[in-house]
Amino acid sequence: QVQLVESGGGLVQPGGSLRLSCVFSGSFFRLYTMGWYRQAPGKQRELVAVITTGGTNYADSVKGRFTISRDNAKNTVYLQMNSLKLEDTAVYYCNAKLATEFWGQGTQVTVSS
């Protein structure tokens, strides 16, 4: 069974930065496609970024500002978020996908002045 635990969320001013971390507990981390999703109040959950063995992919709204990376030795995936905007406010969820899909519990990111 896979467990995902996110951390790193918080309150930040517009233009600021945060780095989210997601620790994967389970086997074969390196084989999983790892992603970050977010859900703002009243909106559907949306893909932010995904990383596979072949590369990365980003939502248009975060391209050039966010960077997803992974450390297979630490079973951890990161989301570096720079130049944060008010509209980035959401609960951010870590996702792991192989034959089955798993979700973390989410971490709140609030961008506010």
Side-chain angles (χ1 to χ4, degrees), residues 8-12 16-20 79-82 84 109-110:
L11 174 64
V12 64
S17 298
L18 282 175
R19 188 177 81 154
L20 305 182
L79 185 68
Q80 177 66 44
M81 305 186 294
N82 299 328
L84 282 160
V109 171
T110 302

Side-chain angles (χ1 to χ4, degrees), residues 10-16 84-90 109-113:
L11 174 64
V12 64
Q13 292 186 339
L84 282 160
K85 303 177 180 180
L86 296 175
E87 54 264 38
D88 294 319
T89 295
V109 171
T110 302
V111 184
S112 175
S113 55

